[in-house]
Amino acid sequence: MRVTFQEELDQLEATLQAEGELVLRALRGALNALVQQEGELADEVIAFDDEIDREYLAIEDGIQSFLARQTPVAVDLRLVLAILHINLHLERMADYCVTVAKLTKLVQGASPDPTLLEAFEEMGARAEEMIRVALDSFAARDMDAAESLVELDELIDRGNRRVVQHLLSLGRDPEQHEWGLRMIVVSRCLERIGDHAVDIGEQTAYLVSGEFREFTDASH
């Protein structure tokens, strides 16, 4: 039975949403591993990235095959291009989750700072919310929801700044110093996940309007 043009597009988008769900799972696992200082859970997150990579490659291959056989135009072409870009953003998010998991393993046995762990839980919750809003707004072609990601991202950015400020206030205990330096990278990973969610929102706006624009001015 021949798959129709629209069915192929629908399948690509469904696979993209499924990849997004896997990224959400990886993020939650990475955060739990960090807060609970669970090395085995961190290992699971690292291994789980292979499954996300398979979805990423399946979408890439699907798009190549689709474009080789079909000639999408107008909104259909924009949809294919948006899926291509969002696929990359999701894969990058998953890579940041792996980085958090690897850093968790490196600091096993250290004494974590409760204030920072609480901050990471909050930033992680914001990041999860942003991924959900990004995926849902794309599925619904909802530009207003996509643009709301900018305000949500500012909350993560503030959290990142608070983490850095708190780390600078810590004493010169060598163990705390090493742990803190690694936690700066964790904070940065969560902040970058938020940035990628905003990028997905920009793809939604592109799909709806036909014009690409950045939601924020990177020069400020």
Side-chain angles (χ1 to χ4, degrees), residues 8-191:
E8 285 194 71
L9 279 178
D10 291 345
Q11 183 57 53
L12 281 172
E13 191 167 351
T15 306
L16 186 75
Q17 290 288 337
E19 182 185 8
E21 294 297 329
L22 295 180
V23 172
L24 281 165
R25 180 176 162 187
L27 176 57
R28 176 41 51 194
L31 288 167
N32 287 341
L34 176 66
V35 173
Q36 299 166 18
Q37 296 292 289
E38 284 286 346
E40 290 185 4
L41 181 53
D43 284 332
E44 290 177 11
V45 173
I46 295 168
F48 185 63
D49 190 56
D50 288 342
E51 188 170 342
I52 296 175
D53 286 344
R54 282 193 289 272
E55 290 289 90
Y56 167 78
L57 291 173
I59 292 172
E60 284 243 314
D61 291 344
I63 288 174
Q64 290 181 24
S65 175
F66 179 79
L67 291 176
R69 293 175 291 98
Q70 308 282 8
T71 53
V73 296
V75 68
D76 291 329
L77 179 58
R78 294 204 301 272
L79 175 58
V80 172
L81 294 176
I83 290 174
L84 184 66
H85 283 92
I86 293 171
N87 187 39
L88 179 58
H89 289 305
L90 290 174
E91 194 272 339
R92 292 278 172 83
M93 287 179 178
D95 286 344
Y96 285 120
C97 294
V98 169
T99 298
V100 172
K102 288 181 176 179
L103 288 168
T104 296
K105 288 175 61 65
L106 287 174
V107 298
Q108 273 192 290
S111 299
D113 184 287
T115 299
L116 288 184
L117 292 183
E118 183 177 337
F120 291 143
E121 284 190 288
E122 180 179 344
M123 290 178 69
R126 295 292 186 188
E128 287 185 67
E129 180 184 6
M130 288 187 70
I131 295 172
R132 176 60 61 200
V133 170
L135 292 172
D136 289 349
S137 63
F138 184 73
R141 312 296 192 255
D142 187 339
M143 190 182 296
D144 289 338
E147 290 179 336
S148 75
L149 288 162
V150 175
E151 292 183 7
L152 294 173
D153 189 48
E154 177 56 28
L155 297 175
I156 290 186
D157 290 345
R158 290 176 192 170
N160 180 51
R161 290 192 291 270
R162 285 195 296 269
V163 165
V164 173
Q165 290 168 358
H166 182 74
L167 283 168
L168 291 174
S169 72
L170 294 178
R172 295 186 176 275
D173 182 331
E175 182 179 335
Q176 280 284 57
H177 186 65
E178 180 181 356
W179 187 84
L181 287 174
R182 298 193 190 282
M183 291 306 101
I184 286 179
V185 180
V186 168
S187 185
R188 177 61 173 162
C189 286
L190 296 174
E191 188 267 338

